Amino acid sequence: MSNPTALVVLAEGAEEMETVITVDVLRRGGIDVTVAGLDGPDVVKCSRGVFLKPDIDLDSVASKTYDIVICPGGMGGATALAASPKMKTILSEQQKSDRFVAAICAGPLAFHSHDIALNKKVTSHPAVKADMEKDKKFTYCDERVVRDEKVITSQGPGTCFEFSLAIVEALQGKEKADSIIPPMLLKL
C-alpha cells in the first residue's frame, strides 16, 4: 500500500513556519508531500523574508490526485491562493471527490473565496475571523485546530504542530500521529 499524499501550495508571502513545520511533520508521519509553487517552480519569498524553494510548479501537478490539499497562511500567500483560479479548481475537485482540504492562519480565506467547506466548522487566525464570518458560509470556532469531516483548519504559527498532527491522524491514524511526538520532543 502506498503512502498518503499531500499537496502544499506555496505562494509569495506565505508564512514560513506554517509551510515548513507542516511539511516536516507530515513527512515524519509517512505522508508523501509535494510543495508546489503557485506561480512556478522558482524560489518564493515568504512573509518574514525567508526564501523557500518549491518541489515543482503547481501547473505540473494540478491534474494529479492528492489525499489532502493544504493552504498555508501568511496574508500575502493566503490572498494569492484566494485569488487564484487554479486553486479554485484544485480545491473544488478535492471537495467534489470527498478528499481532505486543510488551511491554517489566513489560509482559510481561500476556502471563503472559492466556496469550499461551506457550512462546515472552521477556524483561522483571529485577524481574518471577520472575513471568515461574513456571508455566514461557515460555523466559525475559536479553537486552535478544528476538524469537520474532511476539512481541517487551524489558527496560526503557534498551532502548526497541532495542525500537522491532526492531518497525520486523519490520514494515518492516531497511533501514527502519537508515535512522532516523542522524537520531536514536542509538548502539547
Side-chain angles (χ1 to χ4, degrees):
M1 188 168 132
S2 61
N3 290 345
T5 57
L7 176 66
V8 176
V9 184
L10 181 61
E12 187 90 9
E15 214 293 329
E16 296 85 334
M17 289 172 57
E18 294 164 6
T19 304
V20 173
I21 291 171
T22 300
V23 170
D24 179 281
V25 172
L26 267 56
R27 287 181 176 162
R28 289 172 190 257
I31 297 168
D32 291 333
V33 181
T34 299
V35 180
L38 178 67
D39 296 320
D42 298 329
V43 171
V44 172
K45 184 177 183 181
C46 293
S47 64
R48 303 295 179 267
V50 173
F51 292 88
L52 297 177
K53 173 93 172 79
D55 300 320
I56 196 163
D57 63 291
L58 185 59
D59 288 336
S60 295
V61 296
S63 63
K64 288 183 140 187
T65 298
Y66 292 89
D67 294 302
I68 191 165
V69 173
I70 302 166
C71 301
M75 192 53 81
T79 301
L81 296 179
S84 168
K86 286 184 270 190
M87 279 308 296
K88 180 178 179 81
T89 300
I90 290 167
L91 290 169
S92 295
E93 185 55 38
Q94 278 294 110
Q95 184 172 260
K96 190 172 19 169
S97 300
D98 197 33
R99 293 188 303 265
F100 283 94
V101 293
I104 185 170
C105 194
L109 290 174
F111 293 177
H112 188 276
S113 172
H114 302 310
D115 289 332
I116 301 302
L118 298 179
N119 303 310
K120 299 291 186 195
K121 293 178 185 172
V122 299
T123 195
S124 67
H125 192 279
V128 298
K129 176 182 178 180
D131 292 318
M132 293 300 294
E133 288 183 318
K134 74 180 176 196
D135 306 326
K136 307 274 189 246
K137 292 182 177 186
F138 315 100
T139 299
Y140 192 87
C141 302
D142 278 315
E143 297 173 27
R144 294 174 63 82
V145 177
V146 174
R147 178 177 173 189
D148 188 345
E149 296 177 1
K150 301 277 178 103
V151 178
I152 302 170
T153 53
S154 190
Q155 292 185 320
T159 66
C160 287
F161 284 101
E162 294 154 87
F163 173 66
S164 304
L165 289 166
I167 294 170
V168 173
E169 182 175 335
L171 297 180
Q172 296 278 64
K174 183 167 176 33
E175 187 176 318
K176 181 63 173 180
D178 288 347
S179 77
I180 63 174
I181 294 171
M184 291 190 291
L185 303 178
L186 189 59
K187 281 189 161 188
L188 297 172

